[in-house]
Amino acid sequence: MLIKKIVNKIYSISIKHKFAKCGEMTRINCLSKLLGPKHIFIGNNTSIGEGTYLCAWEKFRNQTFSPSIIIGNNVSIGHHCHISACDKIEIGDGTLTGKWVTILDNSHGECTLNEMMSMAPTTRPLYSKGRVSIGKNVWIGDKATILPRVTIGDGVIVGANSVVTKDIPPYKIAIGCPAKIINPKS
């Protein structure tokens, strides 16, 4: 355990300079994948879990993009999360995610077009359906997925294993697949 902590600390120190911004007291554990770090902005006192994919797609095959991923202050991204942008993803201050959370603004192809449906998914062009904006002090449970063109308001709780396909207003709880707002019991 001590060796793992030392390795993660050395890794964090060695990788910080690659980002557009990486704030003070930020800890980045060993990532599984890092693409386009010059388009990734990370605030102060933020923690990125081990095995996470951070992908700001500048280029995919013959396509070029102007992506940005903005992660606020005091954010905690759990282990093995996947954050992928070819447009823009913003994660507000104080947000907490569980493990295995997926947040993306893109997919392989526009699946409403029959011509793309006949192509192998890995050969389809990347397509952004819209930006993702996550407010402040949001709690996203383990294995939740946040899909493109979604705004999640401040103080929202997204239940574990939920799939967010639509906007969630501030200070609500959303669970399920697709995620629906529930009224908590008093």
Side-chain angles (χ1 to χ4, degrees):
M1 190 68 149
L2 179 61
I3 292 173
K4 191 174 188 177
K5 283 184 179 184
I6 292 168
V7 168
N8 278 329
K9 186 166 183 118
I10 292 168
Y11 178 84
S12 186
I13 291 166
S14 71
I15 199 168
K16 284 182 175 185
H17 72 280
K18 294 183 178 189
F19 294 94
K21 177 188 174 220
C22 191
E24 295 178 23
M25 302 300 292
T26 288
R27 295 164 310 285
I28 301 168
N29 292 304
C30 294
L31 300 173
S32 283
K33 187 169 198 164
L34 176 62
L35 291 176
K38 68 182 182 183
H39 302 286
I40 300 173
F41 302 79
I42 303 172
N44 297 322
N45 197 37
T46 288
S47 173
I48 311 260
E50 197 173 298
T52 291
Y53 278 49
L54 283 178
C55 302
W57 293 92
E58 298 173 284
K59 190 170 181 137
F60 180 76
R61 299 187 185 270
N62 63 350
Q63 296 176 277
T64 56
F65 303 100
S66 298
S68 67
I69 296 174
I70 302 165
I71 301 171
N73 299 314
N74 304 305
V75 172
S76 181
I77 305 291
H79 296 311
H80 306 289
C81 291
H82 184 170
I83 300 171
S84 173
C86 64
D87 189 1
K88 186 174 188 179
I89 294 174
E90 291 183 83
I91 300 172
D93 296 345
T95 293
L96 167 67
T97 79
K99 296 176 184 174
W100 302 100
V101 169
T102 299
I103 303 168
L104 44 88
D105 73 0
N106 59 77
S107 63
H108 285 277
E110 191 174 355
C111 293
T112 57
L113 302 176
N114 285 337
E115 63 193 62
M116 285 195 194
M117 300 281 288
S118 65
M119 297 169 66
T122 57
T123 64
R124 296 175 190 162
L126 274 186
Y127 172 74
S128 178
K129 296 179 179 182
R131 297 174 170 192
V132 174
S133 178
I134 298 171
K136 295 178 181 179
N137 303 317
V138 172
W139 178 15
I140 302 171
D142 285 0
K143 300 180 186 172
T145 299
I146 313 299
L147 293 177
R149 200 180 328 138
V150 165
T151 297
I152 297 175
D154 293 346
V156 165
I157 298 172
V158 176
N161 298 304
S162 294
V163 179
V164 179
T165 61
K166 295 180 180 172
D167 294 352
I168 303 172
Y171 308 105
K172 299 292 182 184
I173 298 172
I175 60 169
C177 181
K180 293 186 180 139
I181 295 168
I182 63 165
N183 292 319
K185 296 178 182 174
S186 300

